[in-house]
Amino acid sequence: MKRAAGFALFWIAVGMVINMLLPNLFVQILCAVICVLIGYELYSCR
């Protein structure tokens, strides 16, 4: 469980750094939505 939490926190930090580099709020929201959809598809393992 500690490894899963550490993995999640690491990628949250990476996402925060990427969001600082993106030009505006719309691009940030679009990137977050795409990442959530990809994460859901990978997690569900269909």
Side-chain angles (χ1 to χ4, degrees):
M1 188 67 187
K2 287 181 184 179
R3 285 184 77 179
F7 187 74
L9 287 172
F10 174 78
W11 286 110
I12 288 171
V14 170
M16 287 179 176
V17 170
I18 290 171
N19 271 337
M20 284 189 267
L21 302 174
L22 293 175
N24 58 21
L25 184 62
F26 176 73
V27 176
Q28 292 176 358
I29 292 172
L30 184 65
C31 185
V33 168
I34 290 170
C35 288
V36 166
L37 292 173
I38 291 171
Y40 176 75
E41 285 297 318
L42 290 174
Y43 183 73
S44 64
C45 297
R46 292 184 187 176

